[in-house]
Amino acid sequence: MQSFDCAIIGTGPAGMSAALRLSELGATVAVLDRAPSPGGQIYRAVAQSPLATPDKLGADYLSGADLVSAFSKSNVAWMPGADVWHLGDDGRIFYSQDNRTQELQCRQMLICPGAMERPMPIPGWTLPGVMTAGSAQVMLKSDAMAISDAIFAGSGPLLYLIVAQYLRLGIPIAGVVDTTPRQNYVAALPMLASALRQVGMLFKGLGLLREIQKSKVPFYRFATDLEVVGTDHAQGLRFQQDGASYELSGDAVLLHHGVVPNLNLARSIGLDHVFEPDQLAWRVKTSPFGQTSCPHIWVAGDGAGIVGANGAKHAGELAALGIGCELGLLDDVGRDQLAEAPRKASAGQSGFRRFIDRLYQPAPDLMLPTRDDTIVCRCEEQSLWDLRQGFQSGARDPNALKSLTRCGMGPCQGRQCGHIVSGLLAKWREEPVADVGYYRLRSPLRLLTLEELARLQDGESAR
Amino acid sequence: MFTSLRGLSGDLVEITVNGAPLQVVAGQSVWSAMALNGFTVTRKAAVSGQDRSAYCAMGVCFECLVEIDGLPNQQACLRRVSAGMVINTQHITEASEVYHAEL
Amino acid sequence: MKSDVLIIGGGIQGSATAYYLARHGVSVVVLEKDYVARHASGVNAGGVRLLGRDLAEVPLSKASMQMWQTLDEELGHETGFRAQSIVNIASDEKDMQALRSRQEIMRAEGHDHERIIDQSELRDLLPHVSPECVGGVTSSLDGYAIPYKATVAFRRAAERLGAVFCEGEELVGLRRVGETWLGQGRHQRFEADTVVNCAGAWADQIALMIGDNVPLSHAAPMLMITARMPHFAKPVVGAVSRQLSFKQFENGTVLIGGGAKGFADRARNATRLDYKKLAAAARTTAEFFPIMRSAAINRMWAGLEAYMPDNLPVIGPAVNADRAFHAFGFSAHGFQMGPIVGQTMADLVLKGQSRYALGAFRVDRFDRKVL
C-alpha cells in the first residue's frame, strides 16, 4: 500500500495551493480528484478549454490557469480520476482508478470538498429542463455546451456572473428573475462600510448587474412564489412580483440562490460540525488552520464555510502550514510567520463576505418548501406532506425521519435534501437548526458497485 | 435547447444512445453527448417512474444516472464518452423485474 | 415521574413490553437515552426469521411469528411486515448432510416448519442462484419487516394507551428503597414499583444497578444496502455454512448482511465498519449470485448489539432484586422475538409467570458454571 505524509482530496484552489506549499516544505503529498484535470469547479478545464473564446468567462476564471500550471509542474503524486469512496479517520483512503480498487495510507489528511449550490425546492423543480445555474457554467467550462432560451431565477453573485457570461457569448436568454428580497438591501446596509475595503470586488459585482440590465433580457426583481411551468418538462416559470402574477416562457429554468459547503466527505468521517447562522448552512468545525475535531484531519476552502476562490486559496495555504507543523517540517514560529500573509489576505476579505452573505441571504420561502406537494427528497420522491406526516408520527430527528420516510436514503445521500430537512424539523420543533442536527452519513461516498468493493482485499489492492 | 459552442471539434467517436448510433466528440461527458443529441431524459424516477434529467451536472444530485455498457447507476455528468460506448436511459423503478432473457 | 412500571430502553423489546403492559391498563414510563429505535432495533436487517433458530428459542419464536401475521392490525400502525419464505442455500453435499441431521432433531421435537429442498427446487425459487449450489432448506412461515417502523409502531400503539416515552433521557442511577424503585435520569427522577431492563447493548450496566452481573459483550453487525435493482429474488436468502444473507425488498433495494462484525464503540455511541470484511461479504454474495456483481451499494452501516456467550437472550426476573425483570442480549436475532417478548414480559410483571419455558434464558445461567 502506498503511504504519504499527507493526502489531499480535491483540486480546487484550496487543494492545489495546499499541495504546492506542502511539497515546498518537503512533505510527500498525494492529491486525489475524480476529475481528469485539476481546477475544481471554479477553474474547471481552465488549462484546456473547449470554448473558442474562454476569455468571455472573465479574468477571474482565466487567472486559475497559473495555479493549475504551477500545480501540474510540482512533484506531488497527482492522481487524476481517483474516485474516492471512503475516507477513514485512521488515515486510510479507498478509491477506484482505472477500474481498480486502490488503497492508500496518509499521516495527515486534507479534505477540500468545495461547495455545491443550495437546493431550491420549488414546485416543479424535479422536471427535466430544470437545472442549477451553476450547472450551466459547468457545462460551458467542461463541454462548451449552452442552453439557449433559458430562464435564470434566484439570487447571488454566481447567478449574475453566469448570466453575464451567457450574454458575452451571445447565448439567447429568456429572462432573469431575481429573488433577492427587498429587506436584504436594508439588512446588508450596516455591513457596507467594511465591504468597501474590497471596493474592487464591489465594483465587479455592480458591473455584472449593469451588464444584465443593459442587455435587452427581461429582468424582474423581488420575485416570490416561484413555480416551474410544465407537465413532463420545464416550459416556463410562474412567479409573483409586488402582488402581480407573471408567467415567463423558456426552454429551461436555471435556479440558483447561493452555495453551501459540500458536506458528505467530512460528515462521513463523523467530524464535528456547526451551523453557521450568517450562511444558514452547516460547516465543519475547524481551527484557524483548518484542523478538525479529528486532529490529523483538516478541511480547507468552501467545505469549511463559504469563502470563495481566493479565500479557499488562502485557507489551503494555512492548512498546509498547520499540517507541515504537525509533520515536524516547520516549528510554531515558522508556521506563524508564513501564515501571516494568507491570514491577512483572508481577514481582508471577511468584511466583503459578510456583506454578500447578508445581501444575498436566500429568501426563507425558497429555502424551505411551502406547498404540500413539493418534492423535498428528489431520490425517494418524498414531499413536504410526507415529511410532515413523519414528523407528526414522532420522528423528530433527521435520522429518525429518514428511517421512517426514506427521505435522504437515495443515491444522493442527502446532498440535496439535508439542509432542507434540518430546516423543516427546526421550524416544526421550534428549535434552532443546530439542536436538530443532520443526517448521520457513512461510506461509501458515492454509489459503489459490489464488484468494486469485492476487489478490495489485502492481496490485490496492494499490488 | 442544448447547443455546442465548441471551438475546434475534436476527434469523433461512435457511441450508441438508446439504440441510436451517434458520432460525438471524444472525451466529453456522457451527459453532454446525450443532451446535444436530444436525449435529455437520463432516468426514470425510482418511485413514480417520471422522467428525470441532469440537474447539477457536477455529481451531487445523482439525477443523471444512466446505464453504460450494461452497468446501471452511472453518473452521466461525470463519465466521459469513449469509442463504442453503449448508453441507455435507466429504467429501474420499484416495479422492475429482471428480464427472462437474462436468466 | 411516577408509574407502575419503568422500562429502560426504547428498542423493540422495551416498546413492545410497554405496549402489552399498557394494554392491561398498567401505567408505564419508557426511558430512552437517545431516541426510540436509534440502535439495534432500528437499524437491523429486519429478518422475521424462524428458520434455523436455536431449539430453546423455537417455541417463543413460533408464537412470535403468529403475532407478526396480524401485528399491523393489532397496533394500528404499519410495521412493514411481509410474509416471505427464507431459503438457506447448501453449497455442497456436506451442507445437505448437516441439514438432514438438524431435520431429524427438529422432527423429534415436533417442529415441522423447515423443509429440505433439492437443486431443481432451489433453482425454481431462486433462478439467479449459482448453478453450483446443490439444494437448501426453506421455511414458508418466515418474513421480514422494516425495523424502525415496527419499533415505532409499538411505541405509538403504547402511547395511545397512555404509556409515556422519555427520549434523550439516560438512566444514571437506580435504587430500591422499600417497595419502590427510584430512578435518576439525566433530567428527571422516576419512581416505579417495577423495573424492566430492555437496554440492549447497555443492559449489563442497568443489570448491575439492579444487582445482577451478566457476561454481556458487544459487537457491531454490519449491513449494506444497494440502490434499487430489477426484482430477481423473492425469498430471503441465506446459506447453511457461509456468511451469506440478503433480501430484496419490495422497493427493489437489496439488503446484504451475513453476520460480519465491525467494531462497537459503546462509550461513544458509535460503530466502525471493517471494510475488508464487507469486501469478503461482497465476494460471497457475488459468488452465490453473479447478478449482484453490478449492484450499486448505496449505504453501509452497523448497529450496536449485545451478545451473550451462548448467543441466547436473557428473559426473566432479576435474581438479586424483587420486582425487576430483564429482556436483553438477543445476540443479533431479537427483532423477530419482539412481539412475544413484550407479551412475556407483561405476563411476568403482572402474573409473575409465563406460559413458556424460560429456563434457558435465566440471567444467572453463567453464574453456576463459575467456580
Side-chain angles (χ1 to χ4, degrees):
Chain A
M1 195 198 325
Q2 286 183 289
S3 180
F4 298 88
D5 290 336
C6 184
I8 298 175
I9 296 91
T11 54
M16 286 191 294
S17 66
L20 285 171
R21 175 62 87 175
L22 272 167
S23 85
E24 269 169 36
L25 291 172
T28 57
V29 183
V31 186
L32 300 90
D33 198 310
R34 68 183 172 200
S37 60
Q41 299 303 335
I42 185 86
Y43 301 137
R44 184 183 262 265
V46 69
Q48 62 277 335
S49 174
L51 284 164
T53 51
D55 55 302
K56 300 260 164 86
L57 298 183
D60 283 346
Y61 174 62
L62 297 180
S63 74
D66 293 343
L67 189 54
V68 168
S69 145
F71 174 79
S72 303
K73 284 182 204 136
S74 73
N75 63 355
V76 302
W78 159 229
M79 304 179 178
D83 201 355
V84 174
W85 58 267
H86 168 71
L87 301 175
D89 61 5
D90 55 357
R92 200 70 64 90
I93 296 175
F94 300 144
Y95 59 101
S96 292
Q97 195 181 22
D98 302 327
N99 284 321
R100 283 183 42 196
T101 304
Q102 311 270 20
E103 187 178 353
L104 69 77
Q105 175 75 46
C106 59
R107 284 170 66 191
Q108 305 282 327
M109 189 189 295
L110 173 60
I111 310 171
C112 305
M116 54 169 268
E117 288 169 282
R118 180 191 291 278
M120 200 196 286
I122 59 172
W125 74 307
T126 55
L127 284 172
V130 180
M131 299 184 75
T132 67
S135 78
Q137 204 185 41
V138 167
M139 294 184 288
L140 264 185
K141 288 175 181 170
S142 54
D143 289 318
M145 182 164 82
I147 315 179
S148 53
D149 298 306
I151 300 165
F152 285 84
S155 166
L158 182 58
L159 181 78
Y160 309 132
L161 173 64
I162 298 161
V163 171
Q165 290 169 334
Y166 259 48
L167 289 170
R168 292 173 208 154
L169 287 161
I171 305 159
I173 296 174
V176 177
V177 178
D178 192 312
T179 60
T180 313
R182 230 181 222 113
Q183 61 269 26
N184 281 19
Y185 292 89
V186 182
L189 208 56
M191 292 137 193
L192 184 59
S194 59
L196 282 171
R197 265 184 277 162
Q198 292 279 310
V199 73
M201 299 282 277
L202 214 55
F203 277 127
K204 219 183 281 174
L206 289 170
L208 292 175
L209 282 167
R210 234 189 342 263
E211 260 184 278
I212 298 167
Q213 277 160 340
K214 257 186 8 201
S215 76
K216 296 203 176 67
V217 173
F219 186 59
Y220 301 83
R221 297 179 77 189
F222 311 118
T224 61
D225 303 272
L226 273 58
E227 182 185 348
V228 179
V229 179
T231 45
D232 50 10
H233 67 276
Q235 291 173 307
L237 188 72
R238 210 173 283 141
F239 57 93
Q240 301 272 318
Q241 186 197 43
D242 295 324
S245 290
Y246 293 84
E247 190 173 317
L248 210 56
S249 301
D251 279 358
V253 177
L254 302 175
L255 304 172
H256 177 88
H257 57 165
V259 296
V260 295
N262 197 351
L263 295 173
N264 285 45
L265 276 69
R267 284 272 181 194
S268 76
I269 310 177
L271 303 177
D272 287 352
H273 280 66
V274 289
F275 189 77
E276 183 62 60
D278 290 345
Q279 302 191 329
L280 299 177
W282 291 98
R283 66 169 177 84
V284 189
K285 194 171 157 188
T286 55
S287 77
F289 285 97
Q291 195 165 26
T292 69
S293 55
C294 188
H296 53 282
I297 297 180
W298 309 66
V299 179
D302 281 345
I306 302 303
V307 289
N310 287 329
K313 206 175 124 195
H314 304 314
E317 277 176 56
L318 288 171
L321 295 170
I323 292 168
C325 193
E326 294 278 332
L327 289 169
L329 300 169
L330 74 174
D331 58 18
D332 290 16
V333 180
R335 178 196 63 188
D336 293 345
Q337 265 170 7
L338 289 168
E340 209 169 290
R343 213 179 245 172
K344 258 198 181 143
S346 56
Q349 287 170 357
S350 64
F352 182 72
R353 170 60 50 193
R354 271 199 296 278
F355 172 69
I356 289 292
D357 285 345
R358 188 59 197 89
L359 179 59
Y360 295 118
Q361 190 176 89
D365 282 357
L366 293 174
M367 275 192 292
L368 301 181
T370 52
R371 244 172 58 179
D372 271 1
D373 58 348
T374 302
I375 294 284
V376 175
C377 170
R378 300 175 64 104
C379 300
E380 295 295 323
E381 299 178 71
Q382 294 295 306
S383 67
L384 176 61
W385 189 86
D386 296 322
L387 298 191
R388 198 188 295 109
Q389 291 292 111
F391 173 73
Q392 285 166 355
S393 305
R396 292 164 48 83
D397 178 278
N399 298 291
L401 193 63
K402 178 175 163 181
S403 296
L404 198 64
T405 65
R406 295 188 60 77
C407 178
M409 273 196 185
C412 96
Q413 283 298 297
R415 284 168 173 89
Q416 295 296 322
C417 66
H419 275 101
I420 306 172
V421 164
S422 290
L424 284 174
L425 286 172
K427 189 168 140 188
W428 294 331
R429 282 165 56 167
E430 297 176 17
E431 285 175 44
V433 178
D435 293 351
V436 168
Y438 194 83
Y439 294 135
R440 274 192 307 278
L441 298 176
R442 298 234 203 206
S443 305
L445 294 164
R446 54 161 171 90
L447 292 174
L448 173 75
T449 64
L450 197 82
E451 200 153 37
E452 253 179 303
L453 173 61
R455 280 197 295 256
L456 178 72
Q457 47 186 315
D458 298 318
E460 196 166 339
S461 60
R463 221 173 33 204
Chain B
M1 258 301 266
F2 289 93
T3 54
S4 177
L5 307 177
R6 198 169 276 277
L8 296 168
S9 74
D11 297 337
L12 296 181
V13 288
E14 183 164 309
I15 62 169
T16 308
V17 178
N18 291 348
L22 303 172
Q23 297 282 329
V24 301
V25 178
Q28 68 179 311
S29 71
V30 168
W31 160 243
S32 72
M34 289 175 71
L36 288 171
N37 287 285
F39 295 95
T40 51
V41 176
T42 48
R43 69 175 183 115
K44 298 286 183 182
V47 183
S48 66
Q50 286 168 352
D51 289 351
R52 288 292 177 89
S53 182
Y55 171 73
C56 76
M58 58 172 269
V60 293
C61 75
F62 291 75
E63 287 288 6
C64 66
L65 297 178
V66 294
E67 189 190 293
I68 298 180
D69 296 333
L71 194 60
N73 297 305
Q74 303 299 299
Q75 287 174 274
C77 71
L78 298 180
R79 293 284 307 269
R80 310 259 135 202
V81 293
S82 57
M85 205 175 239
V86 177
I87 299 154
N88 283 300
T89 296
Q90 181 159 314
H91 283 264
I92 303 174
T93 66
E94 304 203 327
S96 305
E97 299 280 340
V98 173
Y99 297 118
H100 262 286
E102 291 178 28
L103 292 185
Chain C
M1 199 180 274
K2 283 188 184 180
S3 60
D4 297 334
V5 181
L6 179 66
I7 297 172
I8 298 110
I12 193 165
Q13 317 300 349
S15 300
T17 303
Y19 170 72
Y20 290 105
L21 282 169
R23 219 176 57 168
H24 284 96
V26 175
S27 74
V28 185
V29 170
V30 180
L31 298 196
E32 166 52 51
K33 74 178 178 57
D34 294 303
Y35 59 81
V36 168
R38 160 69 181 86
H39 294 288
S41 295
V43 302
N44 68 71
V48 178
R49 176 179 62 84
L50 175 55
L51 184 67
R53 289 253 165 203
D54 189 290
L55 273 169
E57 284 180 350
V58 170
L60 281 170
S61 184
K62 265 176 132 173
S64 211
M65 195 54 81
Q66 285 301 320
M67 296 167 81
W68 276 103
Q69 310 295 330
T70 53
L71 202 55
D72 283 25
E73 298 100 275
E74 164 81 28
L75 300 178
H77 296 284
E78 267 183 48
T79 63
F81 175 75
R82 296 289 181 273
Q84 189 55 263
S85 60
I86 296 190
V87 177
N88 274 350
I89 299 169
S91 328
D92 50 30
E93 200 38 50
K94 203 171 144 216
D95 281 355
M96 289 301 279
Q97 196 48 53
L99 287 178
R100 283 188 283 265
S101 323
R102 178 179 161 90
Q103 192 163 57
E104 272 176 38
I105 300 165
M106 291 287 283
R107 289 261 157 88
E109 295 277 331
H111 302 305
D112 55 4
H113 55 276
E114 296 184 3
R115 187 168 64 80
I116 292 176
I117 55 174
D118 63 9
Q119 191 177 38
S120 82
E121 193 172 352
L122 175 69
R123 289 187 61 80
D124 283 347
L125 288 170
L126 291 164
H128 293 271
V129 71
S130 158
E132 272 140 54
C133 299
V134 296
V137 61
T138 182
S139 154
S140 50
L141 279 178
D142 291 22
Y144 61 81
I146 308 294
Y148 181 85
K149 278 194 178 174
T151 304
V152 168
F154 271 117
R155 179 238 178 114
R156 295 187 69 195
E159 279 180 329
R160 200 180 55 229
L161 298 172
V164 175
F165 283 71
C166 299
E167 294 181 296
E169 179 65 294
E170 184 180 1
L171 190 73
V172 292
L174 184 65
R175 266 180 308 165
R176 184 139 171 90
V177 177
E179 298 289 290
T180 306
W181 284 101
L182 297 180
Q184 181 62 55
R186 286 238 182 265
H187 308 289
Q188 311 182 51
R189 279 191 212 163
F190 299 88
E191 262 187 65
D193 302 334
T194 307
V195 291
V196 183
N197 172 17
C198 301
W202 292 265
D204 55 335
Q205 294 171 345
I206 306 299
L208 214 52
M209 292 182 195
I210 290 170
D212 291 341
N213 210 343
V214 278
L216 194 74
S217 66
H218 319 97
M222 298 186 290
L223 295 169
M224 38 192 177
I225 194 155
T226 70
R228 288 178 177 79
M229 299 177 67
H231 289 273
F232 73 95
K234 266 219 161 80
V236 177
V237 176
V240 175
S241 63
R242 297 283 299 278
Q243 286 206 332
L244 172 80
S245 168
F246 73 82
K247 66 172 76 68
Q248 185 168 28
F249 289 106
E250 277 177 346
N251 66 20
T253 60
V254 180
L255 181 77
I256 303 169
K261 288 171 189 164
F263 310 100
D265 185 349
R266 183 167 71 152
R268 285 179 55 228
N269 232 9
T271 57
R272 295 165 67 93
L273 304 183
D274 185 331
Y275 293 91
K276 296 288 160 76
K277 283 189 192 158
L278 285 171
R283 284 192 290 277
T284 308
T285 308
E287 182 189 324
F288 278 80
F289 287 83
I291 192 174
M292 284 291 289
R293 277 189 209 135
S294 64
I297 299 162
N298 192 8
R299 286 175 287 127
M300 302 165 164
W301 72 95
L304 269 167
E305 174 63 337
Y307 293 80
M308 289 297 286
D310 55 1
N311 283 328
L312 289 177
V314 172
I315 303 171
V319 293
N320 291 310
D322 291 332
R323 303 304 306 160
F325 300 88
H326 300 293
F328 64 82
F330 287 84
S331 312
H333 49 266
F335 178 66
Q336 187 267 352
M337 310 244 281
I340 192 65
V341 169
Q343 199 177 66
T344 302
M345 298 317 287
D347 285 345
L348 289 175
V349 169
L350 297 171
K351 303 179 212 153
Q353 57 181 13
S354 163
R355 81 187 84 141
Y356 297 99
L358 301 176
F361 313 122
R362 288 177 59 93
V363 67
D364 61 349
R365 63 186 185 266
F366 291 97
D367 286 3
R368 283 164 289 163
K369 292 174 190 164
V370 177
L371 289 173

